[in-house]
Each structure stands twice: as structure tokens, then as C-alpha cells.
Amino acid sequence: MQYLYVFIVGGTLCAIAQVLIDLCKLTPARILVMYVTCGTLLSVLGLYQPLVDFAGAGATIPLTGFGHVLAKGAQKAVEEKGALGIITGGLTGAAAGITAAILFGYLAALLFRPKAKQ
């Protein structure tokens, strides 16, 4: 049953983004920023963690999950370091994901030949 919840929540988040791309004049970059910001805001308000508990990867993998990780990292760092944690905590919390994205992107660039769009 958990797989169904993951699929429904993750699919809904992706479908909303696709509708925004198709029907609005928002660029994908603006939708990306909006999703990360919404994930951060919902996390700060305490509304995103119940969704993560319910849907697992369906809520943590989309961009809203990245905002959630940033907010959790900042909250933890503020508790440990005070106001300096506002600046350092988000990137500390998301460091593993950011590092993996850079590493695998670099490896893909080495292994495959990109072609220019025509």
C-alpha cells in the first residue's frame, strides 16, 4: 500500500507542475523555485513532515522535498549554533544530495557525448 501512496503523492506533485507549465506563462525555472519555496514554507509551518511520513519518497524526491530538507537543516543548525545556523544549516542538511548530483552529473558528462540542439 505504501507504494501506492508514494505514487499518488509524487505523481500529484509532478502533475501540478506539468499543468503549471502547460497552462501558465511560468517558465520551468520559476516553477522550480516556487516548488522549493513551497516545500520550505510548508516545512516551517509543520505541514510537510506529515506528508513525508505518509508518502515517504513521494514527498521527499520532488523539488518540494528539497525545500523540506533545507528547512530541516536550518532548523537543526539554529538549535545547535544559533542565528548562524540560518545561513549554514540548509546546505549542511542537503550536502549529500547536492554532492551526489554534482558527482553523477560529472560522470555522465564524461561517459556520454552531448549534442547541441539544432
Side-chain angles (χ1 to χ4, degrees), residues 44-69:
V44 168
L45 295 174
L47 300 173
Y48 204 77
Q49 188 61 45
L51 186 62
V52 169
D53 295 339
F54 174 73
T60 58
I61 298 299
L63 289 169
T64 51
F66 182 66
H68 174 65
V69 168

Side-chain angles (χ1 to χ4, degrees), residues 27-62:
T27 63
R30 290 184 181 190
I31 294 170
L32 178 145
V33 171
M34 184 176 69
Y35 262 49
V36 173
T37 304
C38 286
T40 305
L41 181 62
L42 290 172
S43 183
V44 168
L45 295 174
L47 300 173
Y48 204 77
Q49 188 61 45
L51 186 62
V52 169
D53 295 339
F54 174 73
T60 58
I61 298 299

Side-chain angles (χ1 to χ4, degrees), residues 107-118:
L107 288 175
L110 289 176
L111 295 174
F112 302 102
R113 286 196 171 269
K115 294 180 183 177
K117 286 186 175 182
Q118 300 209 15

